[in-house]
Amino acid sequence: MSILDKLTEKMARKVAQKSSRRGFLAGFGTALVGATAFPVLPVARASTGSGGGYPGVAPQSTGNPEDPGDPTSCDYWRYCAIDGFLCSCCGGSQSACPPGTEMSPITWIGTCQNPADGKNYIISYNDCCGKTSCGRCMCNRNEGDRPMVRPQANNDTNWCLGTSSNIYTCSTAVIIGLALEQ
């Protein structure tokens, strides 16, 4: 057993002679900071394989060829002026609130072009209110967004006014009608 003790002591003395406490602490600190930055590397997001959607959310279809696209994707044509969590990822749909929430009667509006027919449609963006924020499928597109002086076309307001609860859950995109050509 004394041979093992002597070998261990000799190795420990060599390491102590060739390194310092400051060097060890610097290396340990670098490793610690590097480990905290690892989850933000683009490799982690690229490996999800969700095809442009959101991790953990299965792609959906409206089932209507006149309404193409994936309502769980921020690239869906109706979402050209939306700002918030998509109700289609939170138990609702692109035009209906999740169970247990209430659609706000106060909305902001936008005009989006449907790629299926090339026509512009008036979209009413309604917030669903009553539960805590869904936290899934955040989408912030500001096409046609106007400053607060034109609140009906501003998407940065909490529109949960006029409901029994002012707690924001998610946002819908309801087609109101065909936009007139100018």
Side-chain angles (χ1 to χ4, degrees):
M1 189 77 153
S2 72
I3 296 174
L4 185 59
D5 288 340
K6 287 181 182 181
L7 182 64
T8 305
E9 181 183 357
K10 188 175 183 179
M11 297 285 281
R13 288 186 184 275
K14 278 187 181 180
V15 169
Q17 288 172 353
K18 295 187 182 213
S19 63
S20 67
R21 285 185 218 128
R22 286 184 184 169
F24 171 76
L25 289 176
F28 182 71
T30 302
L32 193 61
V33 169
T36 60
F38 185 73
V40 299
L41 292 175
V43 176
R45 288 191 295 270
S47 68
T48 60
S50 59
Y54 294 92
V57 178
Q60 298 177 12
S61 172
T62 61
N64 181 355
E66 300 293 319
D67 189 11
D70 177 6
T72 64
S73 171
C74 198
D75 295 330
Y76 180 55
W77 73 273
R78 288 191 197 184
Y79 299 151
C80 70
I82 201 163
D83 182 7
F85 300 111
L86 305 178
C87 285
S88 51
C89 295
C90 303
S93 71
Q94 67 273 16
S95 57
C97 290
T101 63
E102 175 183 9
M103 188 177 283
S104 175
I106 304 169
T107 70
W108 75 96
I109 58 170
T111 305
C112 302
Q113 186 177 48
N114 185 341
D117 59 12
K119 296 179 180 175
N120 291 323
Y121 289 85
I122 300 170
I123 308 293
S124 173
Y125 297 101
N126 297 68
D127 284 348
C128 295
C129 315
K131 290 184 176 180
T132 59
S133 289
C134 164
R136 298 179 80 188
C137 303
M138 177 60 186
C139 185
N140 185 11
R141 293 179 60 187
N142 295 313
E143 299 164 30
D145 189 26
R146 298 291 182 251
M148 289 298 289
V149 294
R150 293 208 39 219
Q152 70 275 13
N154 183 276
N155 66 7
D156 291 328
T157 306
N158 181 354
W159 293 97
C160 286
L161 306 170
T163 61
S164 58
S165 172
N166 64 354
I167 300 172
Y168 169 79
T169 305
C170 59
S171 298
T172 62
V174 181
I175 297 174
I176 300 289
L178 194 59
L180 299 175
E181 295 296 323
Q182 292 187 10

